[in-house]
Amino acid sequence: MNALEPLLEFLSIPSVSTDPAHKEDVRKAALWLAERLRERGFRTELHETPLHPILYAERLLDPKAPTVLVYGHYDVQPPDPLELWENPPFVPTVREGRVYARGASDDKGQLWAHVAALEGLPARVNVKFLVEGEEEIGSPSLLPFVREHREKLQADVVLISDGAMFAPFTPTLTYGLRGLAYLEVRLKGARRDLHSGSFGGVAPNPIQAMGWILSKLKDEKTGKILVPGLYDRVRPVSEEEKRLWPSLDEEALRRELGVEVLPGEEGYSPLERLWTRPTLDPNGIWGGYQGEGSKTVIPAEAGFKVSLRLVPDQDPEEVASQVEAYLREICPPGYTMEILRLHGGRPVLTDPFSPPMRLMARALEEVWGRPPVYTREGGTIPVVAELQDALHAPVVLLGLGLPDDNLHAPNEKFDLVNLEKGIAVLKRFYELLARGD
């Protein structure tokens, strides 16, 4: 496949945005992509930020033609734990029709499909690219960039491929994304670590306090989040909308996850819990001795990180404030608590039947031989809400990945059939758009 060789080169760049040691690698990925776009006739600009550069590119061929803005990101998650990878994460390897590498699906493989689709693009379509290197850390530089450059970014439609199809060989159009509020909580007890024999029974233990706090965040029986006011703005989902959704094979999902039950909020189906209900999940904990063997210590500090996925019409700042107030309320006496707001993003809903979505549905059906299914998605793309506000243009969310692509985990992969079909779908979409269908 002609599109594969450059993708392997792209995937070999360890553009881990959260790690300062990879700052130059992140920049290298931006420069690599800029060169590939220049080869295809684009004018490119690299906008420096305090962290990682934003790449803007445009190929404007006809002022009367429709204009498409493509968004993507060239940064990737850290590859840890390295020992669980079957191949080095930045040595892309093709096995059984899939390419395995960090960033293969999120988002380099999907972004590359958009670049590869430009070969032979009809002259009567203008294309712009907006590609960032900070999506995996919350897009702190891109959101103000969009507000400042809204005139430059103006388009008739926004195309984004940074998600998943509902199932293999199932063309999918996504019309909703959940938002995000992410916090880190730090607890302090005594002024220093203490011997558990000498001080056990009189010293505060931040690990124990952390356990008490975590146990009060959700109801054990109903799965409901216990933060006061958190559900006040949750928009109900109509039965009409639910009829749009595909059916979920719950047994297959349990097998894929290796679990016997699918826990979650009582009274809602798995798809409702995945797409339309807020969630709260601890993502990491720390404190005390973590090495081999034993060490009888009462730690002076402990902490945890927690993320909440949000739904329309929740606001991430308001939710973060609600969670912070509740955490301080339930913190036991004798401890000091520090709360950091790491990053967030607003939830999104788009019109599943806008003219560009109808064109993309037609392109999907022609290429895959079956009509697409319509889904929401549980993940977050922070810039989508900002683009909606700034450009007032319809957004098309075309996921090319799969639910089992191991995003943010070892052995991330991207099915090559999805790359091939994705390129064909995008080419057909541009043809239909150029014709004015």
Side-chain angles (χ1 to χ4, degrees):
M1 182 185 299
N2 292 336
L4 179 58
E5 186 173 344
L7 174 58
L8 299 180
E9 187 177 346
F10 195 19
L11 291 171
S12 70
I13 304 172
S15 49
V16 181
S17 54
T18 194
D19 187 349
H22 286 290
K23 185 175 179 66
E24 288 306 311
D25 293 315
V26 179
R27 184 178 184 82
K28 180 180 178 182
L31 294 172
W32 184 93
L33 186 60
E35 180 60 29
R36 302 291 83 74
L37 288 168
R38 284 193 295 270
E39 292 171 355
R40 289 158 174 81
F42 280 74
R43 184 182 68 82
T44 64
E45 302 171 3
L46 209 61
H47 293 263
E48 301 298 338
T49 79
L51 294 172
H52 305 299
I54 294 168
L55 172 61
Y56 172 78
E58 62 181 22
R59 191 171 74 179
L60 308 180
L61 302 174
D62 184 344
K64 297 180 180 180
T67 299
V68 175
L69 175 67
V70 178
Y71 163 80
H73 65 94
Y74 61 83
D75 65 319
V76 302
Q77 281 276 319
D80 310 75
L82 296 175
E83 67 273 12
L84 297 184
W85 283 81
E86 295 183 19
N87 55 273
F90 296 107
V91 180
T93 303
V94 176
R95 298 193 302 271
E96 299 178 345
R98 305 179 178 100
V99 57
Y100 290 83
R102 172 57 85 230
S105 182
D106 182 21
D107 176 43
K108 289 180 176 178
Q110 300 195 53
L111 173 60
W112 180 247
H114 283 267
V115 179
L118 297 170
E119 299 292 343
L121 184 67
R124 280 191 46 77
V125 177
N126 302 312
V127 182
K128 301 176 180 179
F129 274 79
L130 177 66
V131 191
E132 66 167 320
E134 300 173 9
E135 193 274 346
E136 300 292 3
I137 53 174
S139 302
S141 301
L142 187 66
L143 302 187
F145 180 90
V146 169
R147 299 181 198 119
E148 183 180 348
H149 296 88
R150 63 179 65 200
E151 292 303 319
K152 178 193 291 285
L153 300 173
Q154 283 299 319
D156 298 295
V157 57
V158 179
L159 281 186
I160 300 174
S161 293
D162 189 15
M165 299 160 59
F166 185 72
F169 303 101
T170 305
T172 303
L173 282 172
T174 299
Y175 65 92
L177 300 168
R178 287 197 291 191
L180 175 69
Y182 199 118
L183 299 94
E184 179 176 343
V185 181
R186 299 174 181 176
L187 291 168
K188 295 182 181 180
R191 71 173 69 184
R192 56 183 171 84
D193 288 358
L194 299 172
H195 189 291
S196 67
S198 301
F199 295 96
V202 298
N205 189 322
I207 294 179
Q208 180 65 72
M210 180 172 61
W212 288 328
I213 290 169
L214 287 171
S215 71
K216 295 178 180 179
L217 293 180
K218 288 196 290 189
D219 186 283
E220 181 180 354
K221 293 183 178 179
T222 67
K224 184 177 180 180
I225 301 168
L226 299 176
V227 176
L230 187 131
Y231 291 97
D232 289 353
R233 295 187 187 274
V234 172
R235 187 190 303 182
V237 180
S238 68
E239 292 302 317
E240 181 182 12
E241 180 183 346
K242 293 178 190 177
R243 286 194 287 271
L244 282 176
W245 299 347
S247 60
L248 176 69
D249 186 337
E250 295 184 30
E251 177 59 33
L253 180 57
R254 285 193 292 269
R255 287 197 304 270
E256 179 189 338
L257 300 180
V259 299
E260 294 183 1
V261 297
L262 299 173
E265 189 180 358
E266 189 176 78
Y268 296 91
S269 70
L271 284 184
E272 288 177 288
R273 301 200 302 265
L274 285 168
W275 295 348
T276 70
R277 300 297 296 172
T279 59
L280 182 153
D281 288 290
N283 301 126
I285 58 174
W286 57 272
Y289 179 63
Q290 304 291 329
E292 292 289 332
S294 62
K295 182 182 181 183
T296 52
V297 62
I298 299 174
E301 299 183 18
F304 61 93
K305 297 184 180 185
V306 61
S307 65
L308 295 98
R309 296 292 175 168
L310 314 179
V311 299
D313 296 299
Q314 291 180 299
D315 176 78
E317 286 300 315
E318 180 181 47
V319 168
S321 295
Q322 291 169 334
V323 175
E324 182 172 344
Y326 182 62
L327 287 169
R328 295 194 184 284
E329 177 186 329
I330 62 176
C331 182
Y335 301 89
T336 59
M337 174 182 282
E338 180 184 9
I339 301 175
L340 306 177
R341 298 186 187 186
L342 299 186
H343 62 83
R346 286 184 290 158
V348 168
L349 276 182
T350 68
D351 180 1
F353 303 114
S354 68
M357 286 282 273
R358 290 181 184 275
L359 280 187
M360 188 61 80
R362 181 174 163 187
L364 284 164
E365 184 168 4
E366 290 182 13
V367 171
W368 283 96
R370 57 188 297 187
V373 298
Y374 291 84
T375 70
R376 294 200 199 188
E377 192 165 298
T380 306
I381 307 176
V383 75
V384 178
E386 201 66 43
L387 288 170
Q388 278 186 320
D389 289 350
L391 306 184
H392 303 290
V395 177
V396 175
L397 297 168
L398 176 70
L400 302 177
L402 289 173
D404 66 352
D405 277 348
N406 295 323
L407 307 187
H408 300 195
N411 302 307
E412 180 179 351
K413 57 89 174 171
F414 188 43
D415 285 36
L416 296 183
V417 66
N418 289 1
L419 175 63
E420 180 182 2
K421 295 286 191 182
I423 293 170
V425 166
L426 291 164
K427 283 181 176 289
R428 185 57 179 152
F429 173 80
Y430 283 124
E431 291 169 357
L432 295 172
L433 188 64
R435 283 181 3 199
D437 285 20

